[in-house]
């Protein structure tokens, strides 16, 4: 059949871990439905591009990764951080434009929660951003650190924009202005998560006091 022939001609790429259409129990398991779902996965469920860079499946100008050559040369006696990777933006908006991403796939700022895991991750990203900016001769006080907010993010993998120096245009500078609906400053995000954590802790304490 034409469907079987088409499947044979499509080279199966690495699929995203979230792709499970053909295994969904709600979908009838007839041979042709299964074949169609498998083909949809093959064509549409592409892996996350930042996960691919982190894992080394596609090239990227890595400037920090635990165990990477540049890390071994620069780290000295400092401990490696296995949770994050940094690389230069392929289409920089400023003189320095670095992206710092978590190794584990985190969708975006909307999926972050006021937990030690996520708050600790953001702090690691902040500290690494400061180190990288200093290495390139920038004053961290005169730089921008932040995230684009869905649906204005272009890649569905949390990535911190680390920007230093002159912007390439007024439009590009506007993309990273704080307190806009499309962009959130890192410090503001950290403050918001900490506020949520305190509210949740207060609510739990009230419940514990009332039940005690």
């Amino acid at each position: 059949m034409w469907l079987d022939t088409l499947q044979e001609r499509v080279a199966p790429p690495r699929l995203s871990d979230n792709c499970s259409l053909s295994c969904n129990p709600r979908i009838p398991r007839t041979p042709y439905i299964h074949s169609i779902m498998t083909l949809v996965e093959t064509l549409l469920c592409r892996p996350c591009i930042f996960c691919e860079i982190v894992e080394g499946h596609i090239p990227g100008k890595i400037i920090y990764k635990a165990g990477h050559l540049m890390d071994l040369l620069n780290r000295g006696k400092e401990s490696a951080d296995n949770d994050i990777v940094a690389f230069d933006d392929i289409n920089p908006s400023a003189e320095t434009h670095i992206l710092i991403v978590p190794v584990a796939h985190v969708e975006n700022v909307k999926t972050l929660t006021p937990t030690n895991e996520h708050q600790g991750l953001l702090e690691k990203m902040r500290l690494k951003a400061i180190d990288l900016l200093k290495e390139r001769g920038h004053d961290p006080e005169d730089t921008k650190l932040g995230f684009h907010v869905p649906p204005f993010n272009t890649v569905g993998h949390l990535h911190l924009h680390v920007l230093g120096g002159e912007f390439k245009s007024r439009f590009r500078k506007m993309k990273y202005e704080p307190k806009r609906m499309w962009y959130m400053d890192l410090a503001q995000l950290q403050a918001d998560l900490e506020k949520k954590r305190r509210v949740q802790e207060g609510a739990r304490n009230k419940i514990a006091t009332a039940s005690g």
Side-chain angles (χ1 to χ4, degrees):
M1 296 292 291
W2 66 269
L3 183 59
D4 299 322
T5 303
L6 181 58
Q7 279 187 289
E8 291 175 359
R9 292 182 180 180
V10 176
R14 296 176 64 258
L15 301 180
S16 167
D17 292 337
N18 296 324
C19 289
S20 58
L21 295 175
S22 59
C23 299
N24 192 321
R26 296 183 179 180
I27 298 176
R29 295 188 177 184
T30 65
Y32 287 106
I33 292 295
H34 180 81
S35 296
I36 290 172
M37 292 299 100
T38 302
L39 182 59
V40 169
E41 287 182 348
T42 302
L43 295 175
L44 300 181
C45 295
R46 300 289 179 172
C48 166
I49 188 171
F50 286 171
C51 285
E52 293 288 271
I53 291 175
V54 168
E55 295 169 8
H57 296 301
I58 62 175
K61 191 177 179 183
I62 303 290
I63 56 177
Y64 175 79
K65 182 178 182 180
H68 189 268
L69 177 59
M70 293 304 296
D71 173 49
L72 295 175
L73 291 174
N74 296 329
R75 175 159 44 94
K77 296 182 180 179
E78 297 178 7
S79 60
D81 193 332
N82 298 307
D83 298 331
I84 56 177
V85 172
F87 48 89
D88 284 317
D89 194 301
I90 194 172
N91 184 25
S93 293
E95 177 187 342
T96 291
H97 191 169
I98 299 167
L99 301 178
I100 301 180
V101 305
V103 171
H105 186 86
V106 179
E107 282 291 324
N108 53 61
V109 294
K110 295 289 188 180
T111 60
L112 294 174
T113 56
T115 58
N116 290 336
E117 178 186 1
H118 284 167
Q119 289 181 287
L121 172 64
L122 290 178
E123 183 61 12
K124 289 179 181 179
M125 296 171 84
R126 185 186 72 84
L127 294 175
K128 180 52 62 178
I130 291 174
D131 288 343
L132 295 174
L133 287 168
K134 288 180 178 178
E135 287 178 9
R136 298 198 177 183
H138 298 293
D139 180 358
E141 297 296 324
D142 191 30
T143 57
K144 290 182 180 292
L145 306 177
F147 304 88
H148 283 118
V149 179
F152 302 100
N153 56 323
T154 55
V155 178
H157 185 132
L158 186 72
H159 51 287
L160 173 65
H161 291 274
V162 181
L163 300 129
E166 293 292 326
F167 280 88
K168 294 194 172 183
S169 69
R170 292 179 63 185
F171 171 73
R172 293 202 177 197
K173 183 177 182 179
M174 185 177 68
K175 289 173 59 179
Y176 303 96
E177 290 181 353
K179 298 182 180 179
R180 298 280 191 171
M181 63 185 297
W182 56 80
Y183 181 80
M184 178 174 287
D185 184 76
L186 171 60
Q188 183 61 54
L189 176 59
Q190 289 182 297
D192 289 349
L193 288 177
E194 179 61 19
K195 182 178 180 180
K196 289 180 181 178
R197 185 186 67 81
R198 291 181 179 180
V199 169
Q200 290 179 0
E201 285 185 351
R204 285 194 294 267
N205 290 337
K206 286 183 179 179
I207 293 173
T209 301
S211 60

